[in-house]
Amino acid sequence: MTELVEYLVKELVDFPDKVTVSEDGETIKVSVVKQDMGKIIGRQGRIAKSIRTIVKSAAVKHGKKCTVEILEVE
């Protein structure tokens, strides 16, 4: 799942080299710089919601549960 999230996020941001994705149990944590937070969240959270929906669908296909957290790095 982390590879999927990493691919999706890196395609959306201006600084793909600053993106870090880690997995902590059922939670996938995505860290991006402050300038890219708006691009990941989107208007009214639509992009973030879409990323979460894609990951949940892929996780169900593999018989897992997954959530995505978006964090800001300085």
Side-chain angles (χ1 to χ4, degrees):
M1 290 300 125
T2 56
E3 297 87 16
L4 173 65
V5 174
E6 187 173 1
Y7 175 76
L8 291 171
V9 171
K10 284 188 175 185
E11 292 299 317
L12 293 170
V13 298
D14 288 334
F15 302 101
D17 55 327
K18 306 255 180 172
V19 173
T20 57
V21 179
S22 62
E23 190 169 0
D24 182 26
E26 294 181 351
T27 306
I28 297 175
K29 297 182 180 183
V30 180
S31 301
V32 296
V33 292
K34 188 175 183 176
Q35 295 90 343
D36 288 332
M37 282 299 288
K39 292 187 178 199
I40 295 299
I41 295 173
R43 290 190 179 171
Q44 298 177 352
R46 288 183 186 152
I47 295 175
K49 186 176 178 181
S50 298
I51 291 171
R52 289 183 178 118
T53 302
I54 291 169
V55 170
K56 283 183 184 180
S57 298
V60 167
K61 189 173 182 181
H62 293 285
K64 297 181 180 180
K65 267 187 159 180
C66 254
T67 58
V68 177
E69 283 185 19
I70 300 170
L71 309 170
E72 180 181 319
V73 176
E74 303 218 5

